[in-house]
Amino acid sequence: MPTRPSRRQFFALGAAAAVLVVPASLRAALPPAQSRFGADDEAVLDALKRVLYGPGADEIDILTPLRETLGFLDEAQQSQLASLPSTFDWLSRVLVPTGAAFATLSEGAQAAALEDWLTSPLPFRRQVGQALRQLVLAHCYTHPVGQAAAGYAGPWLGRHLLPVHALRFGEPE
Amino acid sequence: MRLSGNTVEPEFHRRVQAVVVGTGPGGSTVAKRLADAGLDVLMVEAGAYVPAREFSQNEGEMMRKLYREAGLRTTDNGAMAMLHGSVVGGSSVVNYLDCFRTPETLLFDWVKRFGLPELTPEKLRPRFEKIEEILHVRKLPVANLNLNNDLLRRGSEALGWKGDTFHRNAKDCYGSGFCDLGCSYNAKQSAAITFVPLATSQGATLLTDARVERVLLSGDRATGVEGTLVDEARQSRGRFRIDADLVVVSGGAIHTPYLLLGSGVDDPSGQLGRNFWTHPGTPVCGWYPGQRVANYEGIKQGWYIGEFSDVLNQNPIGALIEGIGAPPGITATIFPGLGLERQRQLQRYNEFTAAGILLRDSVPGRIGVGKGRPSIDWSLAPADAHRMKLAVARCAEAWLASGAAAVLTGHSRVTSIRSTAELAKLDDAGWASGEVALFCFHQMGTARMGHSPQVGVVSPTGRMWAYENLYVADSSLFPTASGVNPQLTIYALADVVADGILHEAAGSQLH
């Protein structure tokens, strides 16, 4: 004959249900998977560029190469990467008391919010923060303006003087 | 003959004697050997054929063109970047040319623990000699070290540590410093300009831009492969099927198990996808104020410290320290801080040296089948994190010994180390996911060789135990992490597999 659960069992069941239900509801509420960046995503990426790169960020276009990068990815990774900025934004709104979109915050508030992600005790938040940080910075410093600011000479200037051999597969190139 | 998935008919079908999936060091070696033996061979490559004239030396463009997932692939937990080539020639097109013969202590371990009698140093020696001749492997003279690598040499020698210059597979190297973005001068003797054309010159066909998605199976035989043809933008444009008497999978330690698991192969060992070794690495940079180091100029990888290697020097840390050149896109992700603060540090980019830790990991990860892509289950084990910390500290000591004013690590919480007394900062640096920059350039294991199905996924000749004609030939075969840069070991093991195929299958099974 079934017995009523004890108080401890009741809480254990409740905790187990929460573990199962909360991520499911979170998943349902999260922005849907997509294969390209939407306007909101691009606003987040642009805001992150300003916070991470600092002065002169306006001279650097990271959105064009980022869109190009997306095109090179497998479908599964495309949707994962394309949804990352919205996911970051959505969760930031939940976590920030004002509930404001990341792109609309002041630069100081954006920097504080990003730091919060990067140093969070929750691995998931650190991972998302780092992924976006690396994505944005890598694209800032593969841009000629970013490279020049770092003093990088870019593609080797002498290469046109040297013979460039073509790969051969038994047919003319 | 070379065909492209971008131009062949959108429903492409071919019948051959042997199909080889992948054109890196493993696949191209087997393809060459089978073509030499007169077999009708077709190599299938997911990536594109990119000739040297298209290697633009532009970091962003080349990362997209030459690396799998545009160089953005990470472990599932985001903890470590996984970099590997996806182009004709595989990772040999984007590596730093380092050529180590498999360390003898490691070979003895593989022979003893995994029952692999063909892998003794004596039996592998003639294979290495043959491969090194084709790849034009030579030891780099100390005089050719760039300043970055020379400072690492000076530091390690001042501390009395063992180290040396690398052997490299280069011919007429100009030292342009763009090895990782493809060699514009074909000085790097990658598989793309050695074993692949050697195979095609013997009649093998190369089909590029074709992603194999399934190995076709019938009972105890593999009957071919099928997959998707992609266009220049890497988008699907058709399907292909290759029927074959013999199937060799050489997609690397991530894609080989992904493909085989996804194809539903019978794996009596239960080990397929397990034992995923990664040589986790992290950068350590030295700062030399007022000195133009420009670590990206010249030969990027020239000097290594072998003192702390377990396979070269029986050191319990078990790590190699290798000089590296870091282009700005990658360097920017290492430097901590935001905005102006980080920008000011980057303005001193040319004053920084760079080295990488290559740790021989003791706890492996696992490759599985995720949603439309491989799942990569890996995290840095506490014991390995501890050894990594020790290796980072030794590298920092080397930079400080050669005059660095400060050392920067890949940690987000450690700003700089200015003396050996400050090495204690590393104790609280944090090694969890997102706390430190980790890179993986070497993926190994996942279909290891062994003398029985209880020990290995494949036999000592690379054959999957449950199939007469299904072979693996790439870094998946490694029973453990190699502890050194793996390209020569991959070539040598593939050569062993080629012998096995010609002995076991070609004589009796091919129709």
Side-chain angles (χ1 to χ4, degrees):
Chain A
M1 183 180 155
T3 55
R4 284 183 62 188
S6 67
R7 182 180 287 247
R8 179 178 287 186
Q9 285 169 324
F10 180 80
F11 280 117
L13 278 171
V19 166
L20 291 171
V21 172
V22 170
S25 56
L26 260 181
R27 273 197 303 277
L30 279 171
Q34 54 193 19
S35 60
R36 59 185 63 181
F37 296 122
D40 290 349
D41 298 293
E42 298 197 344
V44 171
L45 290 166
D46 214 44
L48 283 169
K49 179 187 74 175
R50 288 165 211 277
V51 171
L52 284 162
Y53 186 83
D58 287 343
E59 293 174 57
I60 297 177
D61 168 25
I62 61 166
L63 295 177
T64 306
L66 270 167
R67 288 181 205 122
E68 238 180 274
T69 299
L70 262 190
F72 272 83
L73 303 180
D74 299 341
E75 210 174 293
Q77 208 210 6
Q78 248 177 17
S79 66
Q80 197 180 50
L81 184 62
S83 309
L84 199 59
S86 312
T87 306
F88 169 82
D89 194 34
W90 188 87
L91 284 170
S92 292
R93 288 183 202 214
V94 172
L95 296 164
V96 175
T98 58
F102 181 79
T104 64
L105 298 173
S106 69
E107 275 196 26
Q110 286 172 344
L114 180 60
E115 278 284 6
D116 202 36
W117 278 80
L118 295 172
T119 56
S120 168
L122 299 173
F124 170 74
R125 288 192 69 204
R126 283 201 309 272
Q127 286 152 17
V128 171
Q130 285 294 352
L132 283 168
R133 176 184 169 276
Q134 290 176 9
L135 193 68
V136 169
L137 279 175
H139 281 80
C140 285
Y141 282 92
T142 50
H143 188 280
V145 170
Q147 292 187 337
Y152 176 68
W156 205 39
L157 299 174
R159 74 185 293 260
H160 67 284
L161 301 173
L162 298 164
V164 177
H165 316 288
L167 298 190
R168 289 194 174 83
F169 288 90
E171 60 200 25
E173 285 297 321
Chain B
M1 181 166 58
R2 176 162 56 86
L3 304 169
S4 166
N6 190 26
T7 52
V8 295
E9 59 270 35
E11 288 296 323
F12 182 77
H13 177 222
R14 182 68 70 86
R15 165 151 196 90
V16 293
Q17 285 179 299
V19 62
V20 180
V21 181
T23 60
S28 61
T29 300
V30 172
K32 174 198 175 295
R33 291 286 314 280
L34 300 186
D36 284 346
L39 270 65
D40 177 19
V41 178
L42 189 142
M43 295 176 272
V44 191
E45 169 58 51
Y49 159 67
V50 185
R53 64 170 179 272
E54 290 180 20
F55 294 147
S56 68
Q57 305 184 342
N58 179 307
E59 190 184 355
E61 182 193 357
M62 287 296 101
M63 292 298 283
R64 287 191 285 273
K65 266 192 174 176
L66 306 180
Y67 287 81
R68 188 79 190 197
E69 296 189 358
L72 296 174
R73 171 168 275 174
T74 66
T75 51
D76 289 352
N77 60 5
M80 182 160 68
M82 311 289 301
L83 292 148
H84 59 102
S86 182
V87 61
V88 172
S91 291
S92 73
V93 173
V94 293
N95 71 14
Y96 283 116
L97 301 85
D98 307 326
C99 292
F100 282 93
R101 289 189 184 186
T102 323
E104 292 196 357
T105 49
L106 187 71
L107 289 176
F108 288 131
D109 179 54
W110 287 1
V111 169
K112 189 177 167 190
R113 281 204 294 144
F114 299 91
L116 302 168
E118 288 306 308
L119 303 191
T120 62
E122 294 72 28
K123 287 189 176 174
L124 284 184
R125 188 171 302 122
R127 296 186 195 274
F128 282 128
E129 287 169 356
K130 182 177 64 176
I131 292 159
E132 287 167 350
E133 194 183 327
I134 293 170
L135 297 180
H136 204 266
V137 175
R138 302 286 187 277
K139 190 171 189 295
L140 183 71
V142 170
N144 287 9
L145 291 177
N146 67 3
L147 182 55
N148 180 62
N149 281 276
D150 202 46
L151 285 166
L152 186 65
R153 178 189 66 81
R154 285 186 233 166
S156 60
E157 288 186 350
L159 294 162
W161 294 341
K162 286 181 185 170
D164 210 342
T165 57
F166 287 103
H167 282 72
R168 304 168 74 243
N169 53 320
K171 194 190 273 184
D172 301 328
C173 174
Y174 303 112
S176 68
F178 292 94
C179 317
D180 48 338
L181 305 180
C183 180
S184 307
Y185 317 105
N186 275 343
K188 183 196 292 188
Q189 299 299 292
S190 72
I193 62 165
T194 55
F195 282 84
V196 172
L198 284 171
T200 53
S201 70
Q202 291 298 311
T205 300
L206 171 63
L207 173 63
T208 64
D209 308 287
R211 289 183 182 147
V212 174
E213 287 157 355
R214 202 156 68 97
V215 175
L216 304 170
L217 304 164
S218 176
D220 62 358
R221 290 186 65 80
T223 59
V225 297
E226 66 177 14
T228 298
L229 302 168
V230 296
D231 60 20
E232 270 181 30
R234 319 315 296 158
Q235 302 306 307
S236 166
R237 69 169 286 272
R239 299 284 303 168
F240 71 94
R241 195 183 85 222
I242 312 294
D243 294 319
D245 300 323
L246 182 69
V247 176
V248 183
V249 181
S250 305
I254 294 174
H255 281 269
T256 286
Y258 173 64
L259 173 62
L260 293 170
L261 288 165
S263 303
V265 295
D266 181 13
D267 167 35
S269 75
Q271 298 286 314
L272 182 59
R274 294 175 185 268
N275 309 304
F276 177 53
W277 306 102
T278 62
H279 285 168
T282 191
V284 186
C285 300
W287 180 37
Y288 298 73
Q291 201 168 348
R292 190 175 190 280
V293 177
N295 64 54
Y296 53 87
E297 286 182 356
I299 292 168
K300 279 182 170 174
Q301 205 148 44
W303 184 262
Y304 69 91
I305 300 173
E307 178 75 19
F308 309 104
S309 162
D310 53 346
V311 290
L312 298 178
N313 199 38
Q314 285 89 48
N315 189 293
I317 293 179
L320 277 182
I321 298 170
E322 302 184 340
I324 52 171
I330 288 179
T331 306
T333 66
I334 301 167
F335 281 53
L338 303 176
L340 192 59
E341 176 203 354
R342 197 201 37 71
Q343 199 178 93
R344 283 190 178 135
Q345 291 196 49
L346 254 295
Q347 282 166 358
R348 296 187 171 277
Y349 167 58
N350 281 325
E351 297 174 354
F352 277 88
T353 56
I357 306 299
L358 184 159
L359 189 80
R360 184 159 180 262
D361 33 349
S362 65
V363 179
R366 184 178 182 179
I367 300 298
V369 179
K371 285 180 185 168
R373 60 199 290 250
S375 64
I376 306 175
D377 180 12
W378 180 91
S379 55
L380 189 66
D384 288 347
H386 177 68
R387 293 191 297 119
M388 182 79 92
K389 183 186 78 176
L390 297 176
V392 168
R394 299 293 84 78
C395 186
E397 283 182 62
W399 289 135
L400 292 169
S402 68
V407 172
L408 203 68
T409 66
H411 292 91
S412 47
R413 271 194 263 154
V414 176
T415 48
S416 68
I417 293 165
R418 291 180 180 269
S419 68
T420 51
E422 290 187 1
L423 289 172
K425 285 182 178 178
L426 290 171
D427 291 340
D428 302 317
W431 296 92
S433 177
E435 290 183 322
V436 60
L438 293 176
F439 297 92
C440 165
F441 296 95
H442 305 153
Q443 297 93 33
M444 302 157 285
T446 68
R448 70 185 185 193
M449 282 176 152
H451 64 76
S452 72
Q454 285 72 47
V455 177
V457 175
V458 299
S459 74
T461 56
R463 184 173 60 81
M464 287 212 69
W465 289 106
Y467 300 90
E468 288 180 3
N469 63 340
L470 178 56
Y471 289 81
V472 171
D474 57 27
S475 60
S476 315
L477 299 171
F478 290 21
T480 62
S482 60
V484 294
N485 303 58
Q487 73 163 333
L488 277 192
T489 305
I490 303 170
Y491 282 110
L493 294 191
D495 200 53
V496 171
V497 172
D499 273 346
I501 293 171
L502 291 169
H503 179 71
E504 293 173 358
S508 56
Q509 308 292 339
L510 293 175
H511 301 302

